[in-house]
Amino acid sequence: MKIFDKYILKSFLQPFLATFFVVLFVLVMQALWLAFDEIAGKGIDIFFILKFLGYLALILTPTALPIGILLSSIMALGTLAENYEFAAIKSAGISLKRVIRPLIILVILLSGLNFIFLNNIYPWATLKQKNLYLNMKKKKPALALVPGAFNTEIPGFSIKFDEKYGEEDNLLKNVQIADLNAGKGKIKVITAEKGTISTEEGSKYMTLTLENGNYYEEHLTNGMMPDDRAKMPASKAIFKTYTINIDISSFSDDNSMNDEIVKEHHGMLSIVQLDSISKKNKIEYDAYIENRADIFYNAIHAKKLYKYSDSILNRELAPEILDNFNLNNKSTLLNQAIQQINRTIDRNKYQIKSFKDQRKILNLYDFEFSYRISFSLACFVLFFIGAPLGSIIRKGGFGLPLIMAITIFVIYFFISQLGRNLSEESAISALLGSWLSTIILLPFGILLTRRATKGMGIFNIDVLFNKVQNIFNKLTEKISIK
């Protein structure tokens, strides 16, 4: 049966290699299209763009692999069924389980390869790609400026603007700049209706030309008390054109293109590192929660809320505490209590975002840890959906199999993202969220495999029609009796 196994493997590997590289190319082009506006025409060296694409291809390989397996399994088994080779195989007494046995071994090996890739090459490529992208922004500071937020990437300045436009994205609208070089806070603030960024080749300065704006500066010295600061004079002016030369020598250093700035992002770590950092962060998070609980406990003076024994109660006191005070004292006590409660509520509202952000980070580490394993098994799960589906639909080629493969993988990806979002928000556990797509799709794979083994379709239309006909006959009999 070795010749038979080689034939089955050849029927699978030929479409697999073709579909894998086609899918990988499509995914890389899609990712490149999303980043095209930010890197094209910005003076970035072609060598670094090619490195960027290379890292991108390595990052997307684990995603292309299960899609390639799903599509090629549908195509391979569909072609065998379409050419009546399956009929000949079954007439020789060979079952579907025996036909796909060499493919199962191959898919297990590919799943293991995908896990090794996800655990080693994927984190390394993500680390290199993310940092290369950040360093591209350092080489071209205009890339680093994001509309609608205070940008502090350029040392000594905090820059905010509403919109970035123009052919080179160097035109800014409604600009606000805080000069922080003096180290005294926002004592110098410049606002303008428009701004233009220009950088000459090889220059260590970025020129920011502002139009129609205002200039405000406080004249302060170090170590001044708040009362003295309020008495100091300030300068104020209106301008039509104002030019600022910003030193970007630290950005334009060619050696910085290879710097690794970010190293502990959850996508840049192996499973061992994810587990280690997750445990470390959980200890810090628990200590943070305990500290905030102690602060809250002391803020509401909870340690004073204890019960007096009956023997020391003053029997002359009224049961209701407020009834023991006059009207003015009642008003004072109630106002103080309301203020204390409002301060506590405001403090808790302010801290909610901090709690959520830290919890989300922990959830992402836990999700990524389990998802690396579950996504490696996606090759196995999708194969057991694609192989029986191909034998059932009896269609090869890139037509119907391609449509079905894309539909199935989109469903798988959608469920995976749903599980990720739910686990990130702590709606479900990270373990359940990472395995949600596998838990939902695996039963369908088992069902399709059983039906394909028995030579049945996806669903039996005759059985459905017979049930409908029986119901109709019973209704007509009851009507005729009446």
Side-chain angles (χ1 to χ4, degrees):
M1 299 293 283
K2 290 184 178 180
I3 296 176
F4 176 75
D5 292 339
K6 288 181 181 178
Y7 179 74
I8 296 298
L9 288 172
K10 182 180 178 182
S11 301
F12 176 83
L13 285 173
Q14 285 180 342
F16 170 72
L17 293 174
T19 54
F20 171 75
F21 286 107
V22 168
V23 170
L24 182 61
F25 177 78
V26 171
L27 292 175
V28 170
M29 289 299 103
Q30 180 191 21
L32 177 62
W33 180 260
L34 295 175
F36 186 79
D37 289 341
E38 297 190 359
I39 63 176
K42 308 295 183 181
I44 303 297
D45 193 284
I46 187 65
F47 173 71
F48 291 104
I49 294 179
L50 292 176
K51 283 180 67 176
F52 180 80
L53 291 176
Y55 294 140
L56 201 59
L58 292 176
I59 292 170
L60 294 171
T61 295
T63 304
L65 192 60
I67 301 177
I69 290 175
L70 174 62
L71 180 54
S72 56
S73 61
I74 297 175
M75 290 173 60
L77 276 297
T79 301
L80 290 175
E82 187 179 20
N83 295 334
Y84 298 101
E85 292 177 271
F86 245 135
I89 291 171
K90 287 183 179 180
S91 65
I94 303 173
S95 65
L96 177 64
K97 294 180 181 178
R98 178 62 188 86
V99 172
I100 64 174
R101 188 172 70 183
L103 298 182
I104 292 175
I105 297 172
L106 176 62
V107 171
I108 291 174
L109 294 175
L110 290 175
S111 296
L113 178 65
N114 203 25
F115 174 75
I116 294 172
F117 208 99
L118 280 168
N119 193 43
N120 297 281
I121 300 175
Y122 172 80
W124 174 81
T126 304
L127 171 67
K128 293 294 184 180
Q129 188 259 352
K130 295 290 185 183
N131 282 285
L132 184 65
Y133 186 64
L134 290 175
N135 288 321
M136 283 181 181
K137 289 185 175 183
K138 284 181 64 178
K139 191 172 180 67
K140 289 291 180 180
L143 291 175
L145 300 179
V146 179
F150 285 99
N151 297 269
T152 56
E153 287 80 2
I154 299 176
F157 291 89
S158 176
I159 303 174
K160 182 183 179 182
F161 54 92
D162 293 343
E163 184 182 349
K164 182 167 62 173
Y165 60 101
E167 293 183 0
E168 298 182 359
D169 282 341
N170 63 331
L171 303 178
L172 311 179
K173 184 178 181 182
N174 294 332
V175 186
Q176 178 181 333
I177 300 174
D179 190 341
L180 309 176
N181 286 296
K184 303 174 185 177
K186 294 184 178 182
I187 62 172
K188 185 190 294 185
V189 179
I190 306 168
T191 59
E193 294 180 1
K194 297 179 181 179
T196 304
I197 299 174
S198 58
T199 307
E200 296 194 6
E201 187 72 26
S203 174
K204 68 174 185 176
Y205 290 99
M206 179 181 76
T207 302
L208 184 56
T209 305
L210 304 175
E211 300 178 18
N212 301 328
N214 297 277
Y215 177 97
Y216 176 82
E217 180 179 5
E218 297 178 356
H219 301 286
L220 305 176
T221 58
N222 291 327
M224 295 186 68
M225 299 300 292
D227 293 339
D228 296 330
R229 291 169 63 98
K231 298 176 183 178
M232 293 299 293
S235 300
K236 184 177 180 182
I238 299 174
F239 60 84
K240 288 187 177 180
T241 303
Y242 187 84
T243 302
I244 304 175
N245 291 316
I246 302 174
D247 186 0
I248 56 170
S249 55
S250 62
F251 278 73
S252 57
D253 183 11
D254 290 334
N255 294 326
S256 68
M257 293 295 280
N258 295 314
D259 289 346
E260 292 183 2
I261 306 167
V262 182
K263 294 184 179 180
E264 290 196 356
H265 186 270
H266 58 85
M268 304 175 185
L269 304 172
S270 65
I271 282 182
V272 175
Q273 292 170 327
L274 284 168
D275 183 53
S276 175
I277 292 179
S278 176
K279 289 178 179 177
K280 175 186 172 184
N281 289 348
K282 283 177 181 176
I283 294 173
E284 295 176 353
Y285 181 75
D286 291 340
Y288 172 76
I289 295 294
E290 186 177 355
N291 180 52
R292 300 313 307 175
D294 290 339
I295 292 174
F296 177 76
Y297 181 82
N298 294 326
I300 63 173
H301 305 290
K303 60 183 178 181
K304 296 181 180 180
L305 299 175
Y306 56 88
K307 292 183 178 180
Y308 291 93
S309 60
D310 294 339
S311 60
I312 61 174
L313 276 175
N314 188 341
R315 299 181 182 279
E316 296 180 359
L317 293 176
E320 293 292 334
I321 295 176
L322 286 176
D323 293 341
N324 297 286
F325 299 90
N326 60 35
L327 186 60
N328 290 334
N329 289 334
K330 284 182 180 180
S331 177
T332 302
L333 287 172
L334 290 174
N335 288 333
Q336 289 179 352
I338 292 171
Q339 290 175 7
Q340 182 70 25
I341 291 172
N342 288 334
R343 283 196 297 269
T344 303
I345 292 173
D346 293 339
R347 190 185 303 113
N348 290 341
K349 285 182 179 179
Y350 177 76
Q351 292 171 353
I352 284 175
K353 188 178 185 301
S354 177
F355 280 114
K356 285 186 175 181
D357 291 343
Q358 293 193 45
R359 185 69 252 181
K360 282 182 180 180
I361 292 173
L362 289 177
N363 292 338
L364 284 174
Y365 279 110
D366 292 340
F367 177 86
E368 189 72 19
F369 177 85
S370 302
Y371 188 68
R372 297 276 178 90
I373 301 172
S374 66
F375 193 70
S376 301
L377 294 177
C379 301
F380 198 71
V381 174
L382 294 178
F383 170 76
F384 274 99
I385 293 177
L389 193 60
S391 66
I392 291 172
I393 64 173
R394 299 179 182 181
K395 270 289 184 182
F398 276 94
L400 182 60
L402 179 61
I403 297 173
M404 300 192 74
I406 292 174
T407 303
I408 294 169
F409 188 79
V410 166
I411 294 172
Y412 179 89
F413 183 77
F414 174 79
I415 298 173
S416 297
Q417 291 301 308
L418 177 64
R420 180 191 183 94
N421 294 335
L422 291 176
S423 60
E424 184 180 347
E425 296 294 334
S426 300
I428 59 176
S429 67
L431 181 64
L432 177 59
S434 60
W435 286 91
L436 188 63
S437 53
T438 302
I439 293 172
I440 292 175
L441 291 184
L442 185 59
F444 288 97
I446 296 172
L447 176 64
L448 288 172
T449 302
R450 290 186 61 184
R451 297 189 74 86
T453 303
K454 296 178 181 179
M456 302 167 64
I458 298 177
F459 55 87
N460 196 332
I461 298 178
D462 293 335
V463 173
L464 180 63
F465 281 157
N466 289 335
K467 289 183 177 179
V468 173
Q469 186 175 4
N470 290 334
I471 294 172
F472 181 76
N473 291 335
K474 289 180 180 179
L475 290 174
T476 52
E477 287 178 1
K478 290 181 179 180
I479 294 171
S480 61
I481 291 173
K482 289 180 179 180

